[in-house]
Amino acid sequence: MRYNKIRKMDISNGPGVRVSIFMQGCAFHCKNCFNPETWDFKLGEEFTCDTIKKVLDLASKDYVVGLSILGGEPMHPLNIEGTTSLAKAFKEKYPNKSVWVWSGFLFDKDLKDKEVLNYIDVLIDGQYKDELHDFRLKWCGSTNQRVIDVKESLKQNKIVLLDDKKDLVGV
């Protein structure tokens, strides 16, 4: 598995100041994707235990409220094991910081039985659809995408969308 880049202070991919990692490799190739340089599974840097350690170290700052995992496609079969390891290590070290993940795969169709969901607070699911693009959306690019409260969805055994009125920093 590989990753494209790590941002140590990201304010555009989730609430508050976050550490973001962009996984390398995506098979969806959405029209007008904001990150096509992450499509090729062979590019980027090797994802290792040192990568996880680097992310955890960067997140140690008090002002960092969480981790965002994007792509590429973090839930692709070639990437999901590394994504799971990273999210698990992050939640074990920082249980009060949030993990947000963006994926073209669907929560209820493709991901519902995946271990990684145990470590994710918010999942933005669904492939970006250029014809459904809407600039007014806060955390996604097209109206088919959902911002899912994973913990509540797992508890209630149904999709629960994130309530924008919640204090998002701790979600």
Side-chain angles (χ1 to χ4, degrees), residues 91 98-101 107-108 116-125 139 145-171:
K91 284 309 258 186
S98 64
V99 175
W100 284 45
V101 177
F107 177 93
D108 43 345
V116 70
L117 293 179
N118 296 318
Y119 315 113
I120 296 173
D121 297 289
V122 176
L123 173 72
I124 295 84
D125 81 341
W139 305 115
Q145 295 174 305
R146 302 175 293 186
V147 182
I148 298 170
D149 183 330
V150 175
K151 301 291 184 218
E152 277 303 308
S153 296
L154 292 174
K155 263 190 235 171
Q156 297 184 31
N157 200 29
K158 67 176 186 176
I159 299 279
V160 177
L161 299 179
L162 185 67
D163 179 359
D164 251 355
K165 295 170 192 78
K166 263 187 175 177
D167 171 20
L168 295 179
V169 173
V171 176

Side-chain angles (χ1 to χ4, degrees), residues 1-6 21 23-24 41-52 54:
M1 170 179 168
R2 304 183 73 74
Y3 71 97
N4 180 270
K5 65 186 160 204
I6 297 171
I21 184 167
M23 299 307 192
Q24 185 70 40
F41 286 91
K42 296 178 186 136
L43 297 179
E45 304 290 326
E46 185 178 355
F47 184 91
T48 66
C49 292
D50 286 340
T51 309
I52 293 174
K54 179 178 180 178

Side-chain angles (χ1 to χ4, degrees), residues 69 75 80 83-85 87-88 101 111 113-120 150:
I69 306 173
M75 301 304 201
I80 195 165
T83 298
T84 302
S85 296
K88 181 179 182 184
V101 177
L111 303 173
D113 297 322
K114 303 294 185 191
E115 177 191 357
V116 70
L117 293 179
N118 296 318
Y119 315 113
I120 296 173
V150 175

